[in-house]
């Protein structure tokens, strides 16, 4: 509750500063519309914005699920197989030197204007953060626990399932939180490059027609959705990995 | 009656044996010890006492077949010539509890790691023996340091192994909890072959049937007081022995590098 109040206060301050800038500079509305104008546009175009938001949300969610599964599976594979580590890890790191945004036109060329070029863009953006944080987590298992497993004659599979995997869940969760913030960026970039649907398309369209208020309204909806997604993932992650947050203070 | 005695009486194979390690150990061309022979007597508490960095833990890890990061050339043998594999339980300074598991699940972790059926009844019994029945569903973060180490003790007993290797398991506890833990551990591990690595002369004097001092100069036997362990803190012999042990640790021969 306290956090919600603080969040609303921060939002109110940001809106006040925004309104202040509009008043003091007297900037024309097609350059920077005031909050009231954007709210009005949001209300007037609610149906239109929601339609496009639906497409973007679909792309983000599908991309997030597939990207998280692929990233998680990659990390597990790298941990299990030393060979995969030798061959694949350098490739993975090198691939990050390629600016993913630059691939967007190619993806549109290959996969067309539909949602799949955006979903693949989303997957590409979140894949590496998920895979690398989870991989780090799996590698950072407490050495003492591994020693204990060894003296207990643990099977390698059980050691992975019972100790390394649960111990790495907090890292996986932080990878997913990052992914929640990055995924909408991937979808919107895909939409910018070529599409006839989605919030990215709508923003580009509104911008081109000097409907700056509509652009801001779309942007606001996108940001709102991203915050919701981040919040939802954080809450689920906190539930699952409550043991790692030190919620219950050790009693002496 | 505890498990060790049961095993001895029912005669289920060779329950315990005297363990002898001899050889040299080097870490990246730096010799940690050379031409050393160390014995852990069957069914007794052997306390290995020495300053930090002298190689006590390395000795323990060699016997436990844990990674040491160096090269050991020598032998580890048992008096009845049976393999040590699957006969060793390990307790460390840190409790090594999985923070995501409850007390009971931590006690049962060995069976889970070996893909065996879980003996929940026995786990509950051992948890009762260490006095944690009312905390059985709690997570480690909800317990005090002493309680956590008692869970680790129950987990060690659950493994039902003849040899227990204890690497300073009491050193992070406060004085009173430490004394209680020493007594409880000694009682519950009666009949086991125990190696206790420690840097506390008081602890060695309290618990050791045999006390071996490890310094840069090598190993040195120290004759413990005649009273059987666990020895009382205020026992005059024990207090005297503790002072002498401290002198051995600080003597010039001990500190000069061999």
């Amino acid at each position: 509750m306290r956090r919600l109040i603080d969040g609303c206060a921060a939002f109110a301050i940001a809106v006040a500063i925004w309104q202040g800038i509009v008043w003091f500079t007297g900037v024309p509305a097609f350059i920077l519309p005031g909050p009231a104008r954007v709210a009005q546009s949001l209300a007037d175009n609610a149906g239109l914005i929601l339609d496009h938001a639906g497409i973007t949300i679909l792309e983000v969610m599908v991309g997030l699920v597939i990207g998280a599964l692929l990233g998680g599976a990659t990390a597990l594979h790298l941990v299990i197989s030393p060979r995969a580590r030798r061959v694949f890890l350098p490739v993975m790191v090198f691939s990050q030197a390629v600016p993913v945004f630059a691939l967007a036109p190619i993806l549109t060329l290959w996969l067309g204007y539909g949602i799949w070029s955006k979903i693949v863009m989303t997957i590409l953006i979140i894949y590496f953060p998920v895979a690398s944080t989870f991989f780090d987590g799996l590698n950072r298992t407490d050495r003492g626990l591994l020693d204990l497993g060894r003296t207990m004659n643990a099977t390698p599979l059980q050691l992975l399932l019972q100790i390394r995997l649960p111990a790495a869940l907090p890292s996986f969760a932080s990878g997913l939180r990052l992914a929640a913030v990055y995924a909408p960026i991937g979808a919107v970039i895909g939409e910018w490059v070529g599409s006839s649907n989605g919030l990215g398309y709508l923003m580009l369209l509104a911008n081109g027609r000097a409907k700056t208020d509509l652009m801001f309204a779309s942007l606001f909806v996108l940001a709102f959705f991203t915050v919701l997604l981040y919040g939802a993932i954080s809450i689920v992650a906190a539930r699952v990995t409550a043991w790692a947050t030190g919620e219950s203070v050790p009693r002496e | 009656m505890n498990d060790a005695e049961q095993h001895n009486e029912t005669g289920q194979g060779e329950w315990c044996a005297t363990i002898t390690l001899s050889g040299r150990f080097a870490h990246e061309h730096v010799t940690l010890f050379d031409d050393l022979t160390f014995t852990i007597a069957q069914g007794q508490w052997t306390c290995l006492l020495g300053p930090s960095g002298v190689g006590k833990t390395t000795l323990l890890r060699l016997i436990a077949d844990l990674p040491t990061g160096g090269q050991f050339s020598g032998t580890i043998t048992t008096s009845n010539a049976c393999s040590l594999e699957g006969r060793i339980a390990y307790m460390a300074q840190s409790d090594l509890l999985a923070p995501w598991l409850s007390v009971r699940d931590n006690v049962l972790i060995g069976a889970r790691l070996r893909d065996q059926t879980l003996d929940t009844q026995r786990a509950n019994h051992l948890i009762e023996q260490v006095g944690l029945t009312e905390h059985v569903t709690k997570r480690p973060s909800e317990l005090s340091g002493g309680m956590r180490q008692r869970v680790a003790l129950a987990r060690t007993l659950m493994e039902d192994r003849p040899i227990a290797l204890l690497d300073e398991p009491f050193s992070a506890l406060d004085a009173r909890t430490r004394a209680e833990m020493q007594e409880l551990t000694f009682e519950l591990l009666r009949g086991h072959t125990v190696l206790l690595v420690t840097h506390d002369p008081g602890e060695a004097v309290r618990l050791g049937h045999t006390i071996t001092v490890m310094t840069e100069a090598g190993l040195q036997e120290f004759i413990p007081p005649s009273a059987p362990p666990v020895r009382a803190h205020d026992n005059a012999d024990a207090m005297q022995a503790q002072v002498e042990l401290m002198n051995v640790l600080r003597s010039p021969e001990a500190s000069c590098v061999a």
Side-chain angles (χ1 to χ4, degrees), chain A residues 142 144-155 158-159 162-164 166-167 242-243 248-252, chain B residues 61 65-67 85-86 88 90 96 99-100 109-110 112-115 138 141-145 155 159 161:
Chain A
D142 180 352
L145 273 177
L146 295 179
D147 285 347
L148 187 73
R150 202 181 156 112
T151 61
M152 290 176 162
N153 306 97
T155 65
Q158 291 303 328
L159 200 62
Q162 305 284 348
I163 291 191
R164 300 184 74 177
W243 53 267
S248 37
V249 180
R251 282 183 281 128
E252 266 307 325
Chain B
R61 292 182 72 90
D65 191 27
L66 290 172
E85 194 184 336
I88 285 174
Y90 170 62
L96 302 181
W100 58 89
I109 197 168
R112 215 174 245 123
L113 286 172
R114 287 184 297 271
D115 236 341
K138 286 188 182 165
S141 57
E142 296 171 77
L143 305 177
S144 70
R155 182 188 60 202
E159 288 300 285
R161 305 224 164 146

Side-chain angles (χ1 to χ4, degrees), chain A residues 32-47:
Chain A
L32 179 64
R37 228 187 139 104
V38 171
Q40 185 62 46
S41 171
L42 187 59
D44 292 347
N45 301 294

Side-chain angles (χ1 to χ4, degrees), chain B residues 44-243:
Chain B
Q44 294 199 340
W45 278 64
T46 301
C47 291
L48 182 60
L49 177 75
S52 299
V54 81
K56 307 186 298 290
T57 294
T58 302
L59 270 184
L60 181 144
R61 292 182 72 90
L62 285 171
I63 296 165
D65 191 27
L66 290 172
T68 53
Q71 300 85 43
F72 172 68
S73 47
T75 55
I76 299 169
T77 54
T78 52
S79 58
N80 57 1
C82 66
S83 157
L84 285 175
E85 194 184 336
R87 296 174 149 259
I88 285 174
Y90 170 62
M91 242 178 120
Q93 177 177 358
S94 130
D95 48 66
L96 302 181
L97 299 181
W100 58 89
L101 294 179
S102 69
V103 165
R104 188 195 286 127
D105 287 332
N106 264 296
V107 172
L108 285 165
I109 197 168
R112 215 174 245 123
L113 286 172
R114 287 184 297 271
D115 236 341
Q116 293 169 340
T117 44
L118 307 181
D119 189 347
T120 314
Q121 216 180 342
R122 195 169 119 80
N124 286 339
H125 174 66
L126 290 170
I127 290 166
E128 191 191 329
Q129 282 196 312
V130 298
L132 290 175
T133 300
E134 58 185 300
H135 305 289
V136 72
T137 55
K138 286 188 182 165
R139 293 241 167 87
S141 57
E142 296 171 77
L143 305 177
S144 70
M147 288 156 95
R148 294 166 61 119
Q149 207 53 287
R150 275 190 274 160
V151 180
L153 177 60
R155 182 188 60 202
T156 309
L157 295 168
M158 188 74 199
E159 288 300 285
D160 195 18
R161 305 224 164 146
I163 301 152
L165 304 181
L166 315 181
D167 193 358
E168 301 188 19
F170 315 121
S171 59
L173 305 173
D174 67 83
R176 196 178 72 185
T177 312
R178 189 187 308 149
E180 288 166 4
M181 253 323 265
Q182 287 167 344
E183 283 154 20
L184 184 68
T185 309
F186 191 87
E187 188 52 42
L188 294 177
L189 284 177
R190 197 178 281 279
H192 288 64
T193 300
V194 179
L195 167 62
L196 172 68
V197 163
T198 180
H199 53 229
D200 176 6
E203 187 165 283
V205 163
R206 228 175 153 226
L207 296 171
H209 292 101
T210 309
I211 298 172
T212 305
V213 182
M214 186 174 193
T215 58
E216 290 82 352
L219 296 183
Q220 195 178 339
E221 287 292 319
F222 179 86
I223 311 294
S226 51
V230 177
R231 301 179 185 97
H233 279 110
D234 48 5
N235 177 311
D237 282 352
M239 286 165 84
Q240 181 59 33
Q242 191 176 334
V243 172

